[in-house]
Amino acid sequence: MGETLTRGGVLGTLRTVTSLAEEHVKPAVRWSIGHALPRAVLRLAARRGDLQGRITVEASTGADLTGLFDEIRARGPLAATKIGHTTTRHEVVRAVLSDDAFVTARPRFGAGILGKLAAWSATDVMHPVQPPSLLAVEPPAHTRYRKLVTRVFTARAVEQLRVRTQQIADDLLDGLDPASPVDLIETYCGLLPVTVISEILGVPPQERATVLALGAAAAPSLDLGLSWRVFRDVETTLSSFDTWLSRHLDALRANPGDNLLSRLITAREDGAGLSERELKATAGLVLAAGFETTVNLLGNGISLLTRHPAQLDLLRARPELWGNAVDEVLRHDPPVLLTGRMCARDTTVAGIPVRRGQLVTTVLAGANRDPSVFEDPSVFDVSRANARDHVSFGAGRHYCLGAQLARMEGEIGLRTIFDRFPDLAPLPGARRRPTRILRGFERLPASLTQPDASSTRRA
């Protein structure tokens, strides 16, 4: 009896310890390896003048990085760093992103202590930048996966959302008080894309608030060097989203609707469709990537146009330029600063040897300022003939699946707010996000109309 109780007590203690590890220790290890350690390494490299370290650290300050882009470009096609190589040359960025010698960069910790800790602390919760997300898989899985997903993200499917996107934009602006200052990120730039995403995911109206909250909280999952607090918030949100999504997929299977996720559930290629995990990964990627990048596109676009009133006047005179204006916003101030690729086999890029296992960081924002491609690249010009040649959506097999959707939302979102509020003006207090890879505004205060002169005198 005593021995049984003792054994039971030991087992209970072990279960308690295991539970505590799951709840506290493993997340701390995941954060340390995935965010705290890379951030510390990059900060040290930046202090020593390393280009990779500098661009990653300086990006988090919201500073203008044009000078650093030029410095990297002056170091040649591939500038050597302590971590590998980096480039801001347009031709080289496109070449690396299109070359099958390079694969999506994910942390590889080897068989040592870091590798063992990473394996021990791993979680099964879906993550937008972990397999089987399209951002993280390579052929042949990527080929099959993307072919199925592309079939429901066609130009026609996106165009069918245009009318509804316009309605959403109009409704959001109807709800704003023209006489009151607003934070446009909170009241418009964030709500428009996440509401459109709710339509794509077939979310019923009564559950929209849930998806709005999940989208806002999950978006930082795409970034590097998260603080402990943000990291924990992201993990909690992704877990909640995973649970909600299981219920939602079951509901759509029972009662499919006229939405892209319902079509994705039934999509087949050679008789095979997407697994439950792949469906969740796609939905999570649409939510996190589609939300955050479009928020940044809208916020960056509003900021640029209010700071360049002559360009806004040109758009009013020639509204057919709005589509091109969106591409110029994407070129001039892209939502994503950079992306990395790992070399899968020894190769050469622009005549420079790159060894297997080396990281190449392609600075998308820097390539968009390459003077060999864009005349006067620092000038914001909505009539720029080759604005669409930017690489803000990437290139090659990982070219952004939602590019057409982002362009459509950007065009409607920007045109509609300036049509409705032609006197929209920025107010003090704008603040860029402290993120390192994603580039946009955290706050964008604005007045929607000019103060009435007579009411000002009465006051």
Side-chain angles (χ1 to χ4, degrees):
M1 179 74 172
E3 182 181 344
T4 302
L5 288 173
T6 302
R7 187 183 299 116
V10 170
L11 291 174
T13 301
L14 287 173
R15 280 192 291 269
T16 300
V17 171
T18 301
S19 177
L20 287 172
E22 292 284 349
E23 184 179 355
H24 299 290
V25 181
K26 286 187 177 182
V29 172
R30 287 196 295 273
W31 171 74
S32 298
I33 294 175
H35 293 277
L37 181 60
R39 184 170 59 187
V41 169
L42 288 166
R43 283 178 175 173
L44 178 60
R47 286 198 294 271
R48 294 175 175 174
D50 181 73
L51 292 172
Q52 173 72 64
R54 284 178 58 198
I55 196 165
T56 310
V57 170
E58 291 177 31
S60 65
T61 67
D64 181 0
L65 301 173
T66 305
L68 186 50
F69 296 159
D70 293 342
E71 186 176 342
I72 294 171
R73 195 177 299 112
R75 298 283 185 93
L78 282 179
T81 73
K82 296 294 184 183
I83 301 169
H85 304 273
T86 188
T87 181
T88 59
R89 295 199 180 185
H90 188 276
E91 182 181 13
V92 179
V93 166
R94 289 187 61 87
V96 170
L97 296 180
S98 302
D99 191 339
D100 62 6
F102 294 92
V103 297
T104 49
R106 297 196 306 276
R108 291 168 171 79
F109 301 107
I113 185 64
L114 280 182
K116 291 175 181 176
L117 282 171
W120 173 78
S121 64
T123 176
D124 290 331
V125 174
M126 297 303 304
H127 195 289
V129 295
Q130 297 294 334
S133 167
L134 270 168
L135 288 179
V137 295
E138 295 293 338
H142 178 271
T143 306
R144 178 189 69 86
Y145 190 9
R146 187 175 177 106
K147 193 172 183 180
L148 281 164
V149 176
T150 301
R151 287 171 53 185
V152 299
F153 276 87
T154 61
R156 180 172 175 270
V158 169
E159 194 59 29
Q160 288 175 340
L161 287 167
R162 178 175 287 274
V163 172
R164 180 62 185 130
T165 302
Q166 183 66 65
Q167 291 173 343
I168 293 167
D170 289 336
D171 289 346
L172 290 172
L173 296 177
D174 286 344
L176 300 182
D177 178 1
S180 299
V182 295
D183 175 7
L184 291 175
I185 301 301
E186 180 183 1
T187 59
Y188 184 67
C189 300
L191 293 180
L192 176 60
V194 83
T195 307
V196 172
I197 286 167
S198 293
E199 303 267 334
I200 291 172
L201 298 180
V203 181
Q206 65 271 21
E207 295 189 40
R208 295 276 166 84
T210 299
V211 175
L212 286 170
L214 291 173
S221 64
L222 302 172
D223 205 62
L224 173 72
L226 299 180
S227 69
W228 169 248
R229 181 186 61 79
V230 173
F231 170 79
R232 289 298 284 150
D233 287 346
V234 165
E235 286 216 332
T236 300
T237 299
L238 291 176
S239 180
S240 298
F241 182 67
D242 191 280
T243 301
W244 174 84
L245 193 54
S246 293
R247 295 196 307 268
H248 183 55
L249 288 171
D250 287 342
L252 289 180
R253 288 189 183 97
N255 296 287
D258 185 19
N259 57 76
L260 297 183
L261 189 54
S262 288
R263 294 175 211 165
L264 199 56
I265 289 171
T266 58
R268 295 291 182 273
E269 182 69 27
D270 296 329
L274 296 177
S275 68
E276 179 84 357
R277 191 168 178 81
E278 288 169 337
L279 284 167
K280 285 185 175 183
T282 302
L285 181 58
V286 168
L287 180 66
F291 171 74
E292 181 77 356
T293 55
T294 310
V295 174
N296 292 351
L297 165 59
L298 292 170
N300 296 354
I302 291 171
S303 176
L304 282 168
L305 288 167
T306 54
R307 287 187 286 115
H308 296 83
Q311 295 297 300
L312 194 52
D313 289 342
L314 178 59
L315 288 169
R316 287 174 176 140
R318 298 179 57 192
E320 72 276 8
L321 285 176
W322 271 110
N324 197 71
V326 170
D327 276 304
E328 178 66 352
V329 171
L330 287 163
R331 184 198 71 83
H332 195 274
D333 192 4
V336 180
L337 173 66
L338 54 83
T339 186
R341 292 291 186 267
M342 192 71 70
C343 187
R345 62 174 184 270
D346 290 352
T347 189
T348 59
V349 175
I352 297 173
V354 183
R355 297 192 307 276
R356 180 179 181 271
Q358 286 191 314
L359 176 70
V360 176
T361 300
T362 60
V363 186
L364 307 178
N368 290 345
R369 299 291 187 95
D370 189 336
S372 70
V373 176
F374 303 103
E375 185 178 356
D376 296 326
S378 62
V379 173
F380 177 63
D381 178 8
V382 298
S383 63
R384 185 181 295 275
N386 68 339
R388 202 178 175 97
D389 289 342
H390 65 78
V391 290
S392 298
F393 292 126
R397 60 191 178 279
H398 287 286
Y399 182 81
C400 177
L401 191 66
Q404 295 178 96
L405 179 64
R407 284 190 170 105
M408 182 269 286
E409 289 185 75
E411 179 185 345
I412 290 176
L414 292 174
R415 173 180 48 76
T416 303
I417 195 169
F418 283 107
D419 283 351
R420 180 74 67 90
F421 301 114
D423 295 323
L424 186 154
L427 293 173
R431 184 170 65 239
R432 302 280 296 198
R433 297 181 186 275
T435 46
R436 290 166 169 78
I437 296 174
L438 300 169
R439 299 278 284 172
F441 284 87
E442 189 172 67
R443 293 187 70 250
L444 193 60
S447 62
L448 301 177
T449 55
Q450 290 182 342
D452 179 69
S454 61
S455 65
T456 301
R457 284 194 298 269
R458 287 194 301 271

